[in-house]
Amino acid sequence: MTTRNANLFRFASLAALVWLLAARPFAADQWPRFRGEAAGSVADDPALPDRWSETENVAWKIDIPGAGWSSPVVWDDHVIVTATISSEKSPAPHRGLYDPGDENGKTQSVSEHRWMVYDIDFRTGKIRWQSELLRARPKVTRHIKNSFASETPVTDGERVYVYFGSIGLVAALDLDGKRIWTAELTAFDGRQGYGMAASPIVHGDRVIVVNDNATESFIAAFDKRTGKELWRTAREEFENWSSPYVWENALRTEIVTSGMRKIRSYDLDGKLLWELSGMTVNVSPSPFAKDGLIYINSGYPGASPRPMYAIRPGATGDISLKPGETSNEFIVWYQPLLGTYNTSALVYGSYYYTLLDRGFLLCHDARTGAQIYGRQRISPDASGFTASPWAYNGKIFLLSEDGDTFVVQAGPEFKLLGKNTLNEMVLATPAVVHGSVIIRTQSKLYRIARR
């Protein structure tokens, strides 16, 4: 090969590599599960938007057939969401916090539903494929604000794993939409009949689900290749909407779960490691870890206490606080009235942010629990907050049920910077990936990106 030809070959190879890297996002830049890999704390990226509307900075928006409040997950150019399709006209959910009453608290469906998984092309917004996993009548009731597809799917880049508690189904599909396996579980009602929402997680060779109900609560692991149930551990719980969390800390890897009766941690074979009592009813916030601590809270309105715990690794047995205690060997700090009802908290930088469902933001030191600032009213006209907050580029993003995203300055001083409006109800937590924010409203999916 001549020198000139060798140089041309090297140039062509380099050009091909540059094209490949531009066309395929880096493997580390993924959003594979509920709240992403860092529980809403996103690496700074000047490409990420801080302003949008129904038309401004919208790369695309599409209608999603059916109904569902699962969050989107993203791997490379695959955006995955789930939904159910039914011919019946369901009552419209009301925004804000309220007593659902008998009519709205145990909504019973009488029609056949289709449980769907959609793959949307990240670049174009076109539905690449759709897979129907089951046609059936839902086996459980639901809260009017819940859906029969509220569990967020999870992916490892090879397959998508979904769990539908309303029909007792766990399934795996490849990224071409082919069904690899399904595992049938029994569907159970919770004590109030509000439906399910706890999302599955994947770790190593296992898919893990939690189902707390009024009949037979459990945590179980399935072989992600075959769907074979590997183990199942009974739980003394009645209902729960909090997703489990795999905590890879300096000492070991454990599965941490919230519950009405207790917080519990298990090893990877389902053996109980430690537990902690003192939660409220109706547990929705999901545990998450940052900088060596795991953060767990529960805050049913009107309950007291509404606890928040920051816990260090290495616990065994019962680590519950004794009367009058605010810390012990493993509980680094505790706040009795910092728990939230629906939203999960956020650690960004050195600060722990609490988004209360009624529209207040608080800030504490993430390591010590010292208050940085107390309740700050976000907006007097917001109906409520269910989606969990996220952050990047020195800003906190708070998405209300009205579809308004309030942008707040990160750091020790509260300052409202702006509001972005989509004019439709939102309960799902967005995905933030590849320089974009993927937001699911009641009927649509948006990809928000700087033009």
Side-chain angles (χ1 to χ4, degrees):
M1 181 181 293
T2 66
T3 301
R4 180 175 181 274
N5 287 340
N7 288 336
L8 288 173
F9 177 79
R10 283 193 293 269
F11 178 80
S13 299
L14 179 61
L17 177 61
V18 169
W19 180 89
L20 179 63
L21 293 176
R24 177 183 174 88
F26 289 104
D29 185 21
Q30 313 291 0
W31 197 271
R33 62 185 182 186
F34 175 64
R35 302 196 74 200
E37 293 283 30
S41 180
V42 181
D44 288 347
D45 180 353
L48 284 166
D50 54 18
R51 290 175 53 85
W52 59 81
S53 69
E54 292 176 89
T55 56
E56 181 185 5
N57 282 335
V58 176
W60 49 256
K61 65 178 177 180
I62 63 168
D63 291 327
I64 297 295
W69 285 123
S70 60
S71 295
V73 297
V74 182
W75 193 279
D76 290 345
D77 62 347
H78 300 268
V79 181
I80 308 294
V81 295
T82 61
T84 58
I85 297 176
S86 170
S87 59
E88 75 178 354
K89 185 175 178 59
S90 300
H94 311 303
R95 301 174 187 178
L97 295 176
Y98 52 88
D99 182 354
D102 291 336
E103 291 184 0
N104 298 331
K106 294 183 178 181
T107 302
Q108 179 69 60
S109 177
V110 297
S111 71
E112 181 182 77
H113 283 57
R114 300 164 57 202
W115 274 264
M116 306 294 298
V117 182
Y118 297 101
D119 181 347
I120 295 95
D121 187 288
F122 176 85
R123 293 175 176 81
T124 67
K126 304 295 184 182
I127 293 178
R128 178 185 283 112
W129 53 257
Q130 55 184 301
S131 178
E132 179 183 309
L133 294 184
L134 187 69
R135 290 192 185 204
R137 176 179 168 181
K139 299 177 182 178
V140 300
T141 58
R142 65 175 176 86
H143 190 288
I144 191 174
K145 283 176 70 175
N146 202 353
S147 73
F148 293 123
S150 290
E151 303 92 337
T152 296
V154 63
T155 179
D156 57 7
E158 295 182 31
R159 296 175 181 175
V160 175
Y161 307 92
V162 297
Y163 176 46
F164 294 118
S166 56
I167 51 174
L169 184 71
V170 186
L173 303 91
D174 66 20
L175 290 180
D176 292 321
K178 178 184 177 182
R179 189 187 312 190
I180 305 301
W181 56 259
T182 57
E184 295 185 9
L185 312 178
T186 305
F188 298 102
D189 265 315
R191 67 187 181 97
Q192 298 175 93
Y194 285 177
M196 303 296 166
S199 303
I201 52 175
V202 63
H203 178 77
D205 62 352
R206 299 176 182 188
V207 179
I208 299 159
V209 300
V210 169
N211 188 311
D212 289 341
N213 57 77
T215 307
E216 190 180 310
S217 298
F218 63 88
I219 178 172
F222 301 84
D223 186 304
K224 75 175 188 179
R225 296 292 177 187
T226 66
K228 177 184 177 183
E229 186 172 312
L230 300 175
W231 54 260
R232 181 183 296 217
T233 300
R235 290 166 53 84
E236 294 183 31
E237 294 292 347
F238 295 113
E239 62 186 355
N240 180 21
W241 300 272
S242 172
S243 301
Y245 183 82
V246 173
W247 185 19
E248 297 180 274
N249 56 59
L251 300 179
R252 63 194 177 198
T253 299
E254 49 194 287
I255 308 164
V256 182
T257 66
S258 290
M260 184 179 75
R261 288 185 164 181
K262 292 181 179 180
I263 298 164
R264 296 177 180 87
S265 176
Y266 305 87
D267 68 16
L268 294 178
D269 293 319
K271 180 182 177 182
L272 184 68
L273 295 172
W274 55 267
E275 59 187 6
L276 164 63
S277 59
M279 300 291 273
T280 67
V281 299
N282 293 9
V283 178
S284 294
S286 296
F288 68 97
K290 191 72 179 290
D291 298 331
L293 300 179
I294 192 161
Y295 299 91
I296 310 171
N297 81 84
S298 170
Y300 179 72
S304 183
R306 298 186 295 278
M308 183 277 146
Y309 303 94
I311 302 168
R312 64 168 54 94
T316 58
D318 189 342
I319 64 169
S320 301
L321 293 171
K322 295 181 173 59
E325 286 186 335
T326 59
S327 64
N328 60 27
E329 182 183 1
F330 296 105
I331 298 175
V332 178
W333 60 271
Y334 159 78
Q335 289 283 352
L337 298 175
L338 204 58
T340 57
Y341 187 28
N342 287 305
T343 64
S344 298
L346 172 74
V347 172
Y348 183 59
S350 60
Y351 300 109
Y352 178 94
Y353 296 93
T354 302
L355 173 60
L356 297 179
D357 304 68
R358 296 185 186 275
F360 294 89
L361 188 69
L362 301 88
C363 180
H364 290 74
D365 186 290
R367 299 297 300 179
T368 67
Q371 181 173 290
I372 305 301
Y373 58 74
R375 291 185 177 214
Q376 303 292 319
R377 168 69 78 177
I378 298 165
S379 172
D381 58 354
S383 62
F385 293 79
T386 293
S388 298
W390 70 95
Y392 52 75
N393 296 343
K395 300 178 179 68
I396 310 296
F397 297 84
L398 314 169
L399 177 54
S400 77
E401 293 186 1
D402 298 311
D404 297 328
T405 302
F406 297 90
V407 185
V408 173
Q409 172 181 282
E413 179 184 355
F414 177 86
K415 183 179 181 180
L416 183 63
L417 302 176
K419 182 177 80 169
N420 304 319
T421 298
L422 293 180
N423 288 313
E424 190 175 28
M425 186 174 183
V426 177
L427 301 182
T429 299
V432 186
V433 64
H434 308 338
S436 302
V437 182
I438 312 294
I439 300 177
R440 183 178 196 171
T441 68
Q442 191 165 3
S443 68
K444 294 178 174 56
L445 190 70
Y446 286 81
R447 178 183 155 215
I448 308 295
R450 287 185 185 273
R451 290 296 182 92

